[in-house]
Amino acid sequence: MNIDWAVVFATLVGPVLAVQAQKFIERAAEKKMRRMRIFEALMTNRATRLSDAYVQALNQIDLEFHSKSDKPVIDTWRALFGELNNPLPDNTEQAMKVAWIERCNDRLVALLLAMSKSLGRTHSEEEIRRGMYYPQGRVDLEQAQLAVLSGLQRLLEGSNPLRVQNAGEGPSELQLAVLKRLHDAYDESGALRVVFTGAQDERNLN
């Protein structure tokens, strides 16, 4: 009896290859879906760049876009990353701050364009740059929150004094007690005093 070994081989190996091919297709689909979620998070939150979703999506780019074909995405991501990690000091002139913000905007648009092309999307630069809505009320609220946090930080650092205005003829006993506690909380150099409540804390520090 002649045995057709090609048929035998195909019969044995065929199902295995089919399963492996199916797994490869599923992994590729999952990878594209993860990439798509990152892109959609950046597009959805590009007007709210302090949101957790936006920051998390930025930090996931180099985890999912790392093949040779992803070089345009990685290059534009690194350009944006470089700008974001070199912010201007608070005392910088307003014109320089505006220029830095514009550079960050341009870097983000370039990144989203590269990601769109990599994912087979057809977004234009104008659509990415202009096609978003963020009401002025949200802008004002975000700036107010940043101003409060910045003022609180300077107060805790001792660089800004705490101003107390008394509507009466003189400070009350409660106001004086609060001011004394605030005064005692800082040493002569302006540093915040730290008091350990247990000996174990001191041993751990040393």
Side-chain angles (χ1 to χ4, degrees):
M1 181 178 62
N2 295 328
I3 299 176
D4 191 341
W5 292 106
V7 174
V8 174
F9 180 80
T11 302
L12 295 176
V13 178
V16 176
L17 294 178
V19 171
Q20 293 301 320
Q22 180 64 29
K23 289 183 177 180
F24 175 81
I25 294 174
E26 291 175 355
R27 286 195 295 268
E30 291 174 357
K31 180 178 180 180
K32 185 174 182 179
M33 185 61 66
R34 292 195 301 269
R35 292 180 169 202
M36 190 67 71
R37 283 197 292 265
I38 294 174
F39 176 72
E40 290 175 350
L42 292 176
M43 286 289 290
T44 303
N45 297 282
R46 65 191 186 277
T48 55
R49 302 178 193 178
L50 295 179
S51 66
D52 291 340
Y54 178 83
V55 175
Q56 290 172 2
L58 283 181
N59 288 325
Q60 290 174 343
I61 289 177
D62 56 350
L63 297 177
E64 298 295 340
F65 294 84
H66 48 70
S67 61
K68 289 184 178 180
S69 60
D70 297 325
K71 188 175 185 302
V73 176
I74 296 302
D75 289 345
T76 52
W77 156 234
R78 288 175 178 170
L80 174 61
F81 188 78
E83 291 291 349
L84 295 177
N85 280 278
N86 290 281
L88 300 177
D90 292 338
N91 57 356
T92 304
E93 295 181 0
Q94 185 63 26
M96 296 183 64
K97 290 183 178 179
V98 171
W100 178 78
I101 293 174
E102 287 300 321
R103 288 198 304 273
C104 290
N105 290 338
D106 293 339
R107 300 287 190 271
L108 176 61
V109 171
L111 170 63
L112 292 175
L113 279 174
M115 294 179 69
S116 176
K117 184 176 181 180
S118 175
L119 294 169
R121 306 289 289 267
T122 58
H123 297 283
S124 66
E125 178 179 347
E126 184 67 16
E127 181 183 1
I128 292 175
R129 191 181 295 273
R130 308 296 181 189
M132 57 184 179
Y133 173 68
Y134 194 54
Q136 184 62 40
R138 292 291 305 176
V139 175
D140 296 340
L141 177 61
E142 190 173 277
Q143 291 179 346
Q145 290 173 337
L146 289 175
V148 170
L149 292 175
S150 178
L152 181 60
Q153 179 183 5
R154 291 194 297 269
L155 176 64
L156 294 176
E157 290 174 347
S159 58
N160 270 14
L162 178 64
R163 297 181 180 180
V164 178
Q165 183 177 0
N166 185 24
E169 297 180 354
S172 65
E173 294 183 2
L174 178 59
Q175 290 174 329
L176 290 175
V178 170
L179 289 175
K180 185 177 184 306
R181 285 183 174 274
L182 287 173
H183 176 271
D184 294 341
Y186 296 90
D187 61 18
E188 292 77 6
S189 64
L192 183 66
R193 301 178 187 273
V194 177
V195 178
F196 295 98
T197 58
Q200 183 65 33
D201 294 332
E202 296 184 2
R203 287 197 300 271
N204 291 337
L205 181 64
N206 296 329

